[in-house]
């Protein structure tokens, strides 16, 4: 599945489509997300319905969550 990353404004934020965060994120997709985050500072994932365990798994991809 290909990611679609669309800037939201001229200076900050991007919308991300083409990914379900309730499933494990492939390494290649995560690298795209990390690059997009570095460029846009804020990523918006619309219409995601995550169980707490899936949220924690996605968060853990970025860093060790503080729980």
């Amino acid at each position: 599945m290909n990611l679609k990353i669309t800037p939201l404004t001229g200076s900050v934020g991007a919308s991300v489509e083409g990914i379900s965060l309730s499933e494990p994120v492939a390494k290649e997709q995560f690298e795209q997300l990390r690059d997009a985050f570095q460029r846009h500072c804020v990523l918006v994932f619309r219409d995601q319905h995550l169980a707490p365990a899936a949220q924690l798994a996605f968060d853990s991809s970025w860093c060790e969550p503080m729980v």
Side-chain angles (χ1 to χ4, degrees):
M1 189 176 277
N2 290 339
L3 293 180
K4 180 179 178 185
I5 300 169
T6 307
L8 295 173
T9 70
S11 59
V12 69
S15 176
V16 180
E17 298 176 55
I19 190 168
S20 173
L21 299 180
S22 63
E23 301 294 326
V25 177
K27 181 181 176 182
E28 303 81 31
Q29 286 185 321
F30 185 75
E31 289 172 1
Q32 289 177 309
L33 293 175
R34 185 180 298 274
D35 290 344
F37 181 71
Q38 289 175 343
R39 276 193 311 275
H40 302 287
C41 299
V42 174
L43 300 178
V44 177
F45 300 89
R46 289 182 166 77
D47 300 319
Q48 298 287 322
H49 304 282
L50 296 153
Q55 176 72 50
L56 188 58
F58 181 67
D59 294 348
S60 297
S61 300
W62 296 92
C63 64
E64 186 172 338
M66 297 172 59
V67 290

